[in-house]
């Protein structure tokens, strides 16, 4: 793969926080944002506002919650975490239209974009899975 192919593929597979916010403003019903981070709820106490919390470890049992008629955006911790990439690959293989939010929640918070501090406490996941 040459550099041009790499960057084209990268842009096709990801969306920046700024581009996501702009796209969602234009067509809010088109997107379904998922926080796929694993780990205890207390370390995931902050999520991106309006994100659906479906930890990667619960994904297979909760596919019925993810609409196939929307653009799915997944995120995890930061640029070093690959959990969102794993989830994106799995969902793509199952026919979903998926992109990874670049930089994860760390980039989102760095830009002071809206967050929520409520996270469901029903997750059995207790490790990162990165």
């Amino acid at each position: 793969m040459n550099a041009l192919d790499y960057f084209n593929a990268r842009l096709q597979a990801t969306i920046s926080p700024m581009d996501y916010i702009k796209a969602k403003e234009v067509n809010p019903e088109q997107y379904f944002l998922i926080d796929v981070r694993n780990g205890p709820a207390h370390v995931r106490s902050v999520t991106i506002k309006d994100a659906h919390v479906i930890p990667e470890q619960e994904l297979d049992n909760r596919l019925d919650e993810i609409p196939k008629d929307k653009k799915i955006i997944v995120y995890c911790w930061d640029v070093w975490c690959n959990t969102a990439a794993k989830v994106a690959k799995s969902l793509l293989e199952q026919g979903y239209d998926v992109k990874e939010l670049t930089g994860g929640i760390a980039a989102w918070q760095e830009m002071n974009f809206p967050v929520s501090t409520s996270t469901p406490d029903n997750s059995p996941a207790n490790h990162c899975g990165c």
Side-chain angles (χ1 to χ4, degrees), residues 30-79:
Q30 185 176 4
Y31 297 92
F32 190 84
L33 179 65
I34 308 174
D35 179 336
V36 298
R37 297 175 295 159
N38 293 316
H42 72 277
V43 300
R44 294 181 289 112
S45 63
V46 175
T47 61
I48 293 175
K49 189 174 188 313
D50 299 326
H52 301 267
V53 178
I54 304 176
E56 180 255 351
Q57 294 176 336
E58 298 176 12
L59 187 70
D60 290 341
N61 295 325
R62 297 179 62 188
L63 286 174
D64 60 332
E65 297 175 36
I66 305 171
K68 283 213 169 178
D69 63 341
K70 295 189 179 197
K71 294 179 188 259
I72 309 303
I73 310 298
V74 296
Y75 74 90
C76 55
W77 297 100
D78 53 35
V79 296

mmCIF file of all heavy atoms in Angstrom, residues 30-79:
data_model
loop_
_atom_site.group_PDB
_atom_site.id
_atom_site.type_symbol
_atom_site.label_atom_id
_atom_site.label_comp_id
_atom_site.label_asym_id
_atom_site.label_seq_id
_atom_site.Cartn_x
_atom_site.Cartn_y
_atom_site.Cartn_z
ATOM 1 N N GLN A 30 -28.782 10.808 11.638
ATOM 2 C CA GLN A 30 -28.012 9.908 10.780
ATOM 3 C C GLN A 30 -26.956 9.114 11.556
ATOM 4 O O GLN A 30 -26.486 8.099 11.080
ATOM 5 C CB GLN A 30 -27.337 10.711 9.673
ATOM 6 C CG GLN A 30 -26.603 9.885 8.660
ATOM 7 C CD GLN A 30 -26.042 10.738 7.532
ATOM 8 O OE1 GLN A 30 -26.133 11.957 7.525
ATOM 9 N NE2 GLN A 30 -25.443 10.083 6.571
ATOM 10 N N TYR A 31 -26.612 9.564 12.767
ATOM 11 C CA TYR A 31 -25.475 8.978 13.489
ATOM 12 C C TYR A 31 -25.892 8.275 14.772
ATOM 13 O O TYR A 31 -26.845 8.667 15.440
ATOM 14 C CB TYR A 31 -24.459 10.070 13.810
ATOM 15 C CG TYR A 31 -23.875 10.673 12.555
ATOM 16 C CD1 TYR A 31 -24.454 11.795 11.979
ATOM 17 C CD2 TYR A 31 -22.795 10.083 11.926
ATOM 18 C CE1 TYR A 31 -23.950 12.329 10.803
ATOM 19 C CE2 TYR A 31 -22.290 10.604 10.752
ATOM 20 C CZ TYR A 31 -22.871 11.729 10.192
ATOM 21 O OH TYR A 31 -22.384 12.245 9.027
ATOM 22 N N PHE A 32 -25.121 7.239 15.115
ATOM 23 C CA PHE A 32 -25.307 6.477 16.351
ATOM 24 C C PHE A 32 -23.924 6.320 16.959
ATOM 25 O O PHE A 32 -23.087 5.561 16.455
ATOM 26 C CB PHE A 32 -25.938 5.110 16.032
ATOM 27 C CG PHE A 32 -26.402 4.344 17.235
ATOM 28 C CD1 PHE A 32 -27.653 4.596 17.791
ATOM 29 C CD2 PHE A 32 -25.609 3.363 17.800
ATOM 30 C CE1 PHE A 32 -28.097 3.870 18.893
ATOM 31 C CE2 PHE A 32 -26.044 2.629 18.895
ATOM 32 C CZ PHE A 32 -27.293 2.886 19.443
ATOM 33 N N LEU A 33 -23.659 7.065 18.026
ATOM 34 C CA LEU A 33 -22.349 7.096 18.675
ATOM 35 C C LEU A 33 -22.284 6.070 19.794
ATOM 36 O O LEU A 33 -23.189 6.010 20.637
ATOM 37 C CB LEU A 33 -22.110 8.503 19.233
ATOM 38 C CG LEU A 33 -20.800 8.751 19.968
ATOM 39 C CD1 LEU A 33 -19.606 8.627 19.025
ATOM 40 C CD2 LEU A 33 -20.836 10.142 20.615
ATOM 41 N N ILE A 34 -21.207 5.265 19.795
ATOM 42 C CA ILE A 34 -21.077 4.214 20.808
ATOM 43 C C ILE A 34 -19.746 4.339 21.545
ATOM 44 O O ILE A 34 -18.672 4.348 20.945
ATOM 45 C CB ILE A 34 -21.150 2.802 20.198
ATOM 46 C CG1 ILE A 34 -22.375 2.633 19.320
ATOM 47 C CG2 ILE A 34 -21.134 1.751 21.314
ATOM 48 C CD1 ILE A 34 -22.420 1.302 18.586
ATOM 49 N N ASP A 35 -19.838 4.380 22.872
ATOM 50 C CA ASP A 35 -18.676 4.300 23.755
ATOM 51 C C ASP A 35 -18.416 2.814 23.972
ATOM 52 O O ASP A 35 -19.211 2.123 24.603
ATOM 53 C CB ASP A 35 -19.005 4.988 25.083
ATOM 54 C CG ASP A 35 -17.877 4.950 26.091
ATOM 55 O OD1 ASP A 35 -17.011 4.059 26.017
ATOM 56 O OD2 ASP A 35 -17.876 5.815 26.987
ATOM 57 N N VAL A 36 -17.321 2.311 23.417
ATOM 58 C CA VAL A 36 -17.036 0.870 23.482
ATOM 59 C C VAL A 36 -15.967 0.527 24.506
ATOM 60 O O VAL A 36 -15.456 -0.590 24.531
ATOM 61 C CB VAL A 36 -16.646 0.312 22.089
ATOM 62 C CG1 VAL A 36 -17.783 0.484 21.108
ATOM 63 C CG2 VAL A 36 -15.367 0.945 21.569
ATOM 64 N N ARG A 37 -15.634 1.474 25.375
ATOM 65 C CA ARG A 37 -14.574 1.233 26.355
ATOM 66 C C ARG A 37 -14.963 0.143 27.339
ATOM 67 O O ARG A 37 -16.097 0.070 27.794
ATOM 68 C CB ARG A 37 -14.258 2.521 27.127
ATOM 69 C CG ARG A 37 -13.712 3.620 26.230
ATOM 70 C CD ARG A 37 -13.515 4.908 26.979
ATOM 71 N NE ARG A 37 -14.811 5.424 27.425
ATOM 72 C CZ ARG A 37 -14.956 6.294 28.419
ATOM 73 N NH1 ARG A 37 -13.901 6.748 29.081
ATOM 74 N NH2 ARG A 37 -16.162 6.724 28.758
ATOM 75 N N ASN A 38 -13.989 -0.693 27.651
ATOM 76 C CA ASN A 38 -14.149 -1.707 28.681
ATOM 77 C C ASN A 38 -13.649 -1.130 30.002
ATOM 78 O O ASN A 38 -13.060 -0.064 30.043
ATOM 79 C CB ASN A 38 -13.333 -2.956 28.333
ATOM 80 C CG ASN A 38 -13.871 -3.659 27.107
ATOM 81 O OD1 ASN A 38 -15.070 -3.830 26.960
ATOM 82 N ND2 ASN A 38 -12.997 -4.067 26.216
ATOM 83 N N GLY A 39 -13.840 -1.871 31.057
ATOM 84 C CA GLY A 39 -13.357 -1.456 32.366
ATOM 85 C C GLY A 39 -14.511 -1.152 33.295
ATOM 86 O O GLY A 39 -15.659 -1.017 32.866
ATOM 87 N N PRO A 40 -14.211 -1.032 34.585
ATOM 88 C CA PRO A 40 -15.257 -0.742 35.567
ATOM 89 C C PRO A 40 -15.922 0.604 35.287
ATOM 90 O O PRO A 40 -15.294 1.536 34.776
ATOM 91 C CB PRO A 40 -14.503 -0.701 36.897
ATOM 92 C CG PRO A 40 -13.174 -1.315 36.643
ATOM 93 C CD PRO A 40 -12.893 -1.183 35.187
ATOM 94 N N ALA A 41 -17.182 0.709 35.644
ATOM 95 C CA ALA A 41 -17.958 1.926 35.389
ATOM 96 C C ALA A 41 -17.310 3.153 36.013
ATOM 97 O O ALA A 41 -17.355 4.237 35.435
ATOM 98 C CB ALA A 41 -19.382 1.752 35.900
ATOM 99 N N HIS A 42 -16.671 3.008 37.175
ATOM 100 C CA HIS A 42 -16.108 4.194 37.834
ATOM 101 C C HIS A 42 -14.955 4.812 37.038
ATOM 102 O O HIS A 42 -14.713 6.005 37.148
ATOM 103 C CB HIS A 42 -15.688 3.892 39.275
ATOM 104 C CG HIS A 42 -14.457 3.049 39.393
ATOM 105 N ND1 HIS A 42 -14.500 1.671 39.298
ATOM 106 C CD2 HIS A 42 -13.167 3.389 39.585
ATOM 107 C CE1 HIS A 42 -13.271 1.197 39.443
ATOM 108 N NE2 HIS A 42 -12.442 2.215 39.610
ATOM 109 N N VAL A 43 -14.267 4.048 36.197
ATOM 110 C CA VAL A 43 -13.208 4.641 35.366
ATOM 111 C C VAL A 43 -13.766 5.148 34.035
ATOM 112 O O VAL A 43 -13.081 5.857 33.316
ATOM 113 C CB VAL A 43 -12.014 3.676 35.112
ATOM 114 C CG1 VAL A 43 -11.360 3.273 36.411
ATOM 115 C CG2 VAL A 43 -12.434 2.473 34.316
ATOM 116 N N ARG A 44 -15.018 4.798 33.757
ATOM 117 C CA ARG A 44 -15.694 5.288 32.556
ATOM 118 C C ARG A 44 -16.780 6.288 32.935
ATOM 119 O O ARG A 44 -17.799 6.403 32.288
ATOM 120 C CB ARG A 44 -16.331 4.116 31.799
ATOM 121 C CG ARG A 44 -15.341 3.137 31.237
ATOM 122 C CD ARG A 44 -16.001 1.992 30.467
ATOM 123 N NE ARG A 44 -16.696 1.073 31.373
ATOM 124 C CZ ARG A 44 -18.020 0.923 31.429
ATOM 125 N NH1 ARG A 44 -18.805 1.593 30.638
ATOM 126 N NH2 ARG A 44 -18.566 0.079 32.271
ATOM 127 N N SER A 45 -16.554 7.037 34.003
ATOM 128 C CA SER A 45 -17.587 7.914 34.550
ATOM 129 C C SER A 45 -17.935 9.082 33.641
ATOM 130 O O SER A 45 -18.974 9.696 33.806
ATOM 131 C CB SER A 45 -17.186 8.422 35.925
ATOM 132 O OG SER A 45 -16.011 9.197 35.821
ATOM 133 N N VAL A 46 -17.082 9.412 32.698
ATOM 134 C CA VAL A 46 -17.355 10.481 31.747
ATOM 135 C C VAL A 46 -17.490 9.862 30.359
ATOM 136 O O VAL A 46 -16.635 9.077 29.946
ATOM 137 C CB VAL A 46 -16.227 11.535 31.750
ATOM 138 C CG1 VAL A 46 -16.458 12.579 30.673
ATOM 139 C CG2 VAL A 46 -16.112 12.181 33.112
ATOM 140 N N THR A 47 -18.570 10.201 29.680
ATOM 141 C CA THR A 47 -18.781 9.736 28.313
ATOM 142 C C THR A 47 -19.088 10.944 27.434
ATOM 143 O O THR A 47 -19.422 12.018 27.930
ATOM 144 C CB THR A 47 -19.963 8.743 28.214
ATOM 145 O OG1 THR A 47 -21.151 9.407 28.633
ATOM 146 C CG2 THR A 47 -19.724 7.516 29.057
ATOM 147 N N ILE A 48 -18.984 10.754 26.139
ATOM 148 C CA ILE A 48 -19.382 11.810 25.216
ATOM 149 C C ILE A 48 -20.895 11.953 25.305
ATOM 150 O O ILE A 48 -21.624 10.951 25.344
ATOM 151 C CB ILE A 48 -18.924 11.478 23.783
ATOM 152 C CG1 ILE A 48 -17.395 11.526 23.714
ATOM 153 C CG2 ILE A 48 -19.554 12.437 22.779
ATOM 154 C CD1 ILE A 48 -16.814 11.097 22.384
ATOM 155 N N LYS A 49 -21.360 13.200 25.354
ATOM 156 C CA LYS A 49 -22.797 13.460 25.486
ATOM 157 C C LYS A 49 -23.571 12.729 24.390
ATOM 158 O O LYS A 49 -23.189 12.757 23.231
ATOM 159 C CB LYS A 49 -23.056 14.964 25.395
ATOM 160 C CG LYS A 49 -24.478 15.358 25.723
ATOM 161 C CD LYS A 49 -24.592 16.862 25.749
ATOM 162 C CE LYS A 49 -25.879 17.397 26.224
ATOM 163 N NZ LYS A 49 -27.090 16.908 25.759
ATOM 164 N N ASP A 50 -24.633 12.074 24.797
ATOM 165 C CA ASP A 50 -25.543 11.323 23.922
ATOM 166 C C ASP A 50 -24.951 10.025 23.366
ATOM 167 O O ASP A 50 -25.552 9.414 22.481
ATOM 168 C CB ASP A 50 -26.057 12.195 22.770
ATOM 169 C CG ASP A 50 -26.844 13.399 23.272
ATOM 170 O OD1 ASP A 50 -27.528 13.261 24.302
ATOM 171 O OD2 ASP A 50 -26.778 14.450 22.629
ATOM 172 N N ALA A 51 -23.801 9.593 23.867
ATOM 173 C CA ALA A 51 -23.237 8.315 23.417
ATOM 174 C C ALA A 51 -24.004 7.156 24.051
ATOM 175 O O ALA A 51 -24.478 7.247 25.179
ATOM 176 C CB ALA A 51 -21.761 8.222 23.785
ATOM 177 N N HIS A 52 -24.100 6.071 23.311
ATOM 178 C CA HIS A 52 -24.658 4.830 23.826
ATOM 179 C C HIS A 52 -23.494 4.029 24.379
ATOM 180 O O HIS A 52 -22.489 3.843 23.688
ATOM 181 C CB HIS A 52 -25.368 4.061 22.709
ATOM 182 C CG HIS A 52 -26.467 4.853 22.085
ATOM 183 N ND1 HIS A 52 -27.777 4.778 22.498
ATOM 184 C CD2 HIS A 52 -26.449 5.789 21.101
ATOM 185 C CE1 HIS A 52 -28.516 5.606 21.790
ATOM 186 N NE2 HIS A 52 -27.724 6.233 20.929
ATOM 187 N N VAL A 53 -23.608 3.577 25.597
ATOM 188 C CA VAL A 53 -22.520 2.842 26.237
ATOM 189 C C VAL A 53 -22.725 1.354 26.008
ATOM 190 O O VAL A 53 -23.630 0.736 26.569
ATOM 191 C CB VAL A 53 -22.435 3.166 27.744
ATOM 192 C CG1 VAL A 53 -21.327 2.368 28.409
ATOM 193 C CG2 VAL A 53 -22.238 4.659 27.959
ATOM 194 N N ILE A 54 -21.872 0.796 25.135
ATOM 195 C CA ILE A 54 -21.892 -0.641 24.858
ATOM 196 C C ILE A 54 -20.435 -1.096 24.872
ATOM 197 O O ILE A 54 -19.752 -1.055 23.848
ATOM 198 C CB ILE A 54 -22.555 -0.974 23.502
ATOM 199 C CG1 ILE A 54 -23.971 -0.400 23.425
ATOM 200 C CG2 ILE A 54 -22.565 -2.495 23.287
ATOM 201 C CD1 ILE A 54 -24.667 -0.605 22.078
ATOM 202 N N PRO A 55 -19.925 -1.505 26.046
ATOM 203 C CA PRO A 55 -18.533 -1.937 26.109
ATOM 204 C C PRO A 55 -18.248 -3.068 25.114
ATOM 205 O O PRO A 55 -19.106 -3.908 24.846
ATOM 206 C CB PRO A 55 -18.375 -2.427 27.550
ATOM 207 C CG PRO A 55 -19.440 -1.681 28.314
ATOM 208 C CD PRO A 55 -20.580 -1.556 27.348
ATOM 209 N N GLU A 56 -17.052 -3.058 24.579
ATOM 210 C CA GLU A 56 -16.635 -4.053 23.585
ATOM 211 C C GLU A 56 -16.916 -5.474 24.055
ATOM 212 O O GLU A 56 -17.352 -6.313 23.279
ATOM 213 C CB GLU A 56 -15.145 -3.850 23.282
ATOM 214 C CG GLU A 56 -14.582 -4.799 22.269
ATOM 215 C CD GLU A 56 -13.716 -5.884 22.884
ATOM 216 O OE1 GLU A 56 -13.407 -5.810 24.087
ATOM 217 O OE2 GLU A 56 -13.357 -6.813 22.148
ATOM 218 N N GLN A 57 -16.729 -5.741 25.327
ATOM 219 C CA GLN A 57 -16.945 -7.093 25.844
ATOM 220 C C GLN A 57 -18.414 -7.502 25.839
ATOM 221 O O GLN A 57 -18.733 -8.676 25.945
ATOM 222 C CB GLN A 57 -16.369 -7.216 27.257
ATOM 223 C CG GLN A 57 -14.865 -7.088 27.267
ATOM 224 C CD GLN A 57 -14.299 -7.099 28.662
ATOM 225 O OE1 GLN A 57 -14.979 -6.780 29.623
ATOM 226 N NE2 GLN A 57 -13.040 -7.472 28.779
ATOM 227 N N GLU A 58 -19.334 -6.541 25.712
ATOM 228 C CA GLU A 58 -20.766 -6.839 25.685
ATOM 229 C C GLU A 58 -21.352 -6.781 24.279
ATOM 230 O O GLU A 58 -22.537 -7.053 24.077
ATOM 231 C CB GLU A 58 -21.510 -5.835 26.569
ATOM 232 C CG GLU A 58 -21.116 -5.890 28.029
ATOM 233 C CD GLU A 58 -21.810 -4.824 28.852
ATOM 234 O OE1 GLU A 58 -22.766 -4.183 28.355
ATOM 235 O OE2 GLU A 58 -21.394 -4.624 30.003
ATOM 236 N N LEU A 59 -20.533 -6.412 23.322
ATOM 237 C CA LEU A 59 -21.024 -6.128 21.970
ATOM 238 C C LEU A 59 -21.830 -7.269 21.359
ATOM 239 O O LEU A 59 -22.937 -7.059 20.864
ATOM 240 C CB LEU A 59 -19.848 -5.766 21.060
ATOM 241 C CG LEU A 59 -20.231 -5.297 19.674
ATOM 242 C CD1 LEU A 59 -20.875 -3.922 19.742
ATOM 243 C CD2 LEU A 59 -19.017 -5.277 18.772
ATOM 244 N N ASP A 60 -21.302 -8.471 21.382
ATOM 245 C CA ASP A 60 -21.988 -9.598 20.738
ATOM 246 C C ASP A 60 -23.395 -9.823 21.289
ATOM 247 O O ASP A 60 -24.291 -10.229 20.551
ATOM 248 C CB ASP A 60 -21.163 -10.877 20.876
ATOM 249 C CG ASP A 60 -19.901 -10.844 20.034
ATOM 250 O OD1 ASP A 60 -19.833 -10.026 19.086
ATOM 251 O OD2 ASP A 60 -18.964 -11.614 20.327
ATOM 252 N N ASN A 61 -23.584 -9.557 22.583
ATOM 253 C CA ASN A 61 -24.892 -9.768 23.204
ATOM 254 C C ASN A 61 -25.827 -8.572 23.047
ATOM 255 O O ASN A 61 -26.995 -8.657 23.434
ATOM 256 C CB ASN A 61 -24.731 -10.076 24.692
ATOM 257 C CG ASN A 61 -24.004 -11.376 24.910
ATOM 258 O OD1 ASN A 61 -24.160 -12.321 24.158
ATOM 259 N ND2 ASN A 61 -23.176 -11.417 25.941
ATOM 260 N N ARG A 62 -25.326 -7.466 22.473
ATOM 261 C CA ARG A 62 -26.142 -6.254 22.402
ATOM 262 C C ARG A 62 -26.254 -5.682 20.984
ATOM 263 O O ARG A 62 -26.620 -4.530 20.798
ATOM 264 C CB ARG A 62 -25.565 -5.208 23.364
ATOM 265 C CG ARG A 62 -25.632 -5.687 24.831
ATOM 266 C CD ARG A 62 -25.060 -4.702 25.791
ATOM 267 N NE ARG A 62 -25.803 -3.442 25.768
ATOM 268 C CZ ARG A 62 -25.389 -2.356 26.424
ATOM 269 N NH1 ARG A 62 -24.280 -2.366 27.123
ATOM 270 N NH2 ARG A 62 -26.098 -1.237 26.352
ATOM 271 N N LEU A 63 -25.967 -6.495 19.991
ATOM 272 C CA LEU A 63 -26.049 -6.036 18.600
ATOM 273 C C LEU A 63 -27.435 -5.526 18.231
ATOM 274 O O LEU A 63 -27.561 -4.635 17.393
ATOM 275 C CB LEU A 63 -25.627 -7.153 17.643
ATOM 276 C CG LEU A 63 -24.137 -7.453 17.582
ATOM 277 C CD1 LEU A 63 -23.879 -8.675 16.709
ATOM 278 C CD2 LEU A 63 -23.355 -6.249 17.082
ATOM 279 N N ASP A 64 -28.460 -6.071 18.869
ATOM 280 C CA ASP A 64 -29.820 -5.645 18.555
ATOM 281 C C ASP A 64 -30.080 -4.183 18.938
ATOM 282 O O ASP A 64 -31.056 -3.589 18.490
ATOM 283 C CB ASP A 64 -30.844 -6.555 19.235
ATOM 284 C CG ASP A 64 -30.712 -6.567 20.756
ATOM 285 O OD1 ASP A 64 -29.602 -6.345 21.280
ATOM 286 O OD2 ASP A 64 -31.733 -6.800 21.420
ATOM 287 N N GLU A 65 -29.196 -3.582 19.723
ATOM 288 C CA GLU A 65 -29.333 -2.177 20.119
ATOM 289 C C GLU A 65 -28.724 -1.220 19.090
ATOM 290 O O GLU A 65 -28.907 -0.013 19.188
ATOM 291 C CB GLU A 65 -28.652 -1.937 21.472
ATOM 292 C CG GLU A 65 -29.259 -2.718 22.613
ATOM 293 C CD GLU A 65 -28.491 -2.550 23.906
ATOM 294 O OE1 GLU A 65 -27.969 -1.434 24.164
ATOM 295 O OE2 GLU A 65 -28.387 -3.544 24.656
ATOM 296 N N ILE A 66 -27.999 -1.766 18.121
ATOM 297 C CA ILE A 66 -27.278 -0.936 17.153
ATOM 298 C C ILE A 66 -28.031 -0.952 15.823
ATOM 299 O O ILE A 66 -28.163 -1.989 15.185
ATOM 300 C CB ILE A 66 -25.837 -1.455 16.971
ATOM 301 C CG1 ILE A 66 -25.131 -1.518 18.320
ATOM 302 C CG2 ILE A 66 -25.069 -0.570 15.990
ATOM 303 C CD1 ILE A 66 -23.786 -2.224 18.299
ATOM 304 N N PRO A 67 -28.509 0.214 15.400
ATOM 305 C CA PRO A 67 -29.285 0.273 14.157
ATOM 306 C C PRO A 67 -28.405 0.116 12.917
ATOM 307 O O PRO A 67 -27.324 0.685 12.841
ATOM 308 C CB PRO A 67 -29.913 1.664 14.196
ATOM 309 C CG PRO A 67 -29.008 2.468 15.058
ATOM 310 C CD PRO A 67 -28.397 1.518 16.041
ATOM 311 N N LYS A 68 -28.878 -0.666 11.966
ATOM 312 C CA LYS A 68 -28.126 -0.855 10.722
ATOM 313 C C LYS A 68 -28.370 0.264 9.718
ATOM 314 O O LYS A 68 -27.655 0.382 8.741
ATOM 315 C CB LYS A 68 -28.471 -2.202 10.092
ATOM 316 C CG LYS A 68 -27.797 -3.353 10.782
ATOM 317 C CD LYS A 68 -27.467 -4.441 9.814
ATOM 318 C CE LYS A 68 -26.554 -5.429 10.497
ATOM 319 N NZ LYS A 68 -26.218 -6.541 9.667
ATOM 320 N N ASP A 69 -29.358 1.107 9.972
ATOM 321 C CA ASP A 69 -29.689 2.169 9.028
ATOM 322 C C ASP A 69 -29.044 3.517 9.382
ATOM 323 O O ASP A 69 -29.399 4.536 8.823
ATOM 324 C CB ASP A 69 -31.207 2.326 8.918
ATOM 325 C CG ASP A 69 -31.849 2.749 10.230
ATOM 326 O OD1 ASP A 69 -31.226 2.580 11.306
ATOM 327 O OD2 ASP A 69 -32.983 3.261 10.192
ATOM 328 N N LYS A 70 -28.091 3.507 10.311
ATOM 329 C CA LYS A 70 -27.397 4.738 10.703
ATOM 330 C C LYS A 70 -25.898 4.559 10.543
ATOM 331 O O LYS A 70 -25.398 3.435 10.452
ATOM 332 C CB LYS A 70 -27.716 5.102 12.149
ATOM 333 C CG LYS A 70 -29.167 5.455 12.350
ATOM 334 C CD LYS A 70 -29.406 6.015 13.716
ATOM 335 C CE LYS A 70 -30.880 6.374 13.845
ATOM 336 N NZ LYS A 70 -31.127 7.275 14.948
ATOM 337 N N LYS A 71 -25.197 5.678 10.504
ATOM 338 C CA LYS A 71 -23.734 5.650 10.502
ATOM 339 C C LYS A 71 -23.290 5.472 11.940
ATOM 340 O O LYS A 71 -23.621 6.292 12.805
ATOM 341 C CB LYS A 71 -23.164 6.931 9.913
ATOM 342 C CG LYS A 71 -23.482 7.092 8.446
ATOM 343 C CD LYS A 71 -22.907 8.383 7.909
ATOM 344 C CE LYS A 71 -23.406 8.616 6.512
ATOM 345 N NZ LYS A 71 -22.482 8.280 5.492
ATOM 346 N N ILE A 72 -22.557 4.414 12.177
ATOM 347 C CA ILE A 72 -22.105 4.090 13.523
ATOM 348 C C ILE A 72 -20.725 4.715 13.741
ATOM 349 O O ILE A 72 -19.814 4.537 12.928
ATOM 350 C CB ILE A 72 -22.014 2.552 13.725
ATOM 351 C CG1 ILE A 72 -23.317 1.857 13.295
ATOM 352 C CG2 ILE A 72 -21.615 2.222 15.153
ATOM 353 C CD1 ILE A 72 -24.563 2.325 13.974
ATOM 354 N N ILE A 73 -20.589 5.439 14.849
ATOM 355 C CA ILE A 73 -19.314 6.033 15.230
ATOM 356 C C ILE A 73 -18.922 5.400 16.566
ATOM 357 O O ILE A 73 -19.709 5.423 17.522
ATOM 358 C CB ILE A 73 -19.418 7.571 15.393
ATOM 359 C CG1 ILE A 73 -20.079 8.216 14.182
ATOM 360 C CG2 ILE A 73 -18.038 8.158 15.699
ATOM 361 C CD1 ILE A 73 -19.353 8.047 12.870
ATOM 362 N N VAL A 74 -17.733 4.814 16.620
ATOM 363 C CA VAL A 74 -17.269 4.166 17.849
ATOM 364 C C VAL A 74 -16.054 4.897 18.393
ATOM 365 O O VAL A 74 -15.263 5.461 17.640
ATOM 366 C CB VAL A 74 -16.946 2.674 17.615
ATOM 367 C CG1 VAL A 74 -18.189 1.896 17.236
ATOM 368 C CG2 VAL A 74 -15.873 2.479 16.561
ATOM 369 N N TYR A 75 -15.930 4.880 19.721
ATOM 370 C CA TYR A 75 -14.740 5.480 20.335
ATOM 371 C C TYR A 75 -14.330 4.715 21.584
ATOM 372 O O TYR A 75 -15.138 4.009 22.191
ATOM 373 C CB TYR A 75 -14.953 6.968 20.651
ATOM 374 C CG TYR A 75 -15.850 7.252 21.832
ATOM 375 C CD1 TYR A 75 -15.328 7.373 23.122
ATOM 376 C CD2 TYR A 75 -17.219 7.439 21.666
ATOM 377 C CE1 TYR A 75 -16.146 7.662 24.203
ATOM 378 C CE2 TYR A 75 -18.039 7.731 22.735
ATOM 379 C CZ TYR A 75 -17.505 7.846 24.001
ATOM 380 O OH TYR A 75 -18.313 8.123 25.076
ATOM 381 N N CYS A 76 -13.045 4.872 21.911
ATOM 382 C CA CYS A 76 -12.527 4.293 23.150
ATOM 383 C C CYS A 76 -11.747 5.375 23.892
ATOM 384 O O CYS A 76 -12.125 6.537 23.875
ATOM 385 C CB CYS A 76 -11.734 3.013 22.900
ATOM 386 S SG CYS A 76 -10.377 3.148 21.731
ATOM 387 N N TRP A 77 -10.645 5.004 24.526
ATOM 388 C CA TRP A 77 -9.943 5.920 25.438
ATOM 389 C C TRP A 77 -9.181 7.037 24.733
ATOM 390 O O TRP A 77 -9.369 8.205 25.032
ATOM 391 C CB TRP A 77 -8.978 5.133 26.323
ATOM 392 C CG TRP A 77 -9.673 4.164 27.213
ATOM 393 C CD1 TRP A 77 -9.803 2.820 27.017
ATOM 394 C CD2 TRP A 77 -10.370 4.452 28.419
ATOM 395 N NE1 TRP A 77 -10.531 2.255 28.029
ATOM 396 C CE2 TRP A 77 -10.886 3.242 28.913
ATOM 397 C CE3 TRP A 77 -10.604 5.612 29.140
ATOM 398 C CZ2 TRP A 77 -11.624 3.161 30.083
ATOM 399 C CZ3 TRP A 77 -11.329 5.537 30.316
ATOM 400 C CH2 TRP A 77 -11.828 4.319 30.775
ATOM 401 N N ASP A 78 -8.264 6.680 23.853
ATOM 402 C CA ASP A 78 -7.385 7.677 23.241
ATOM 403 C C ASP A 78 -6.712 7.066 22.017
ATOM 404 O O ASP A 78 -7.098 5.992 21.573
ATOM 405 C CB ASP A 78 -6.337 8.193 24.242
ATOM 406 C CG ASP A 78 -5.547 7.067 24.900
ATOM 407 O OD1 ASP A 78 -5.273 6.039 24.235
ATOM 408 O OD2 ASP A 78 -5.182 7.207 26.078
ATOM 409 N N VAL A 79 -5.700 7.739 21.479
ATOM 410 C CA VAL A 79 -5.048 7.249 20.259
ATOM 411 C C VAL A 79 -4.283 5.949 20.471
ATOM 412 O O VAL A 79 -3.981 5.246 19.517
ATOM 413 C CB VAL A 79 -4.109 8.312 19.640
ATOM 414 C CG1 VAL A 79 -4.906 9.516 19.198
ATOM 415 C CG2 VAL A 79 -3.008 8.710 20.611
#
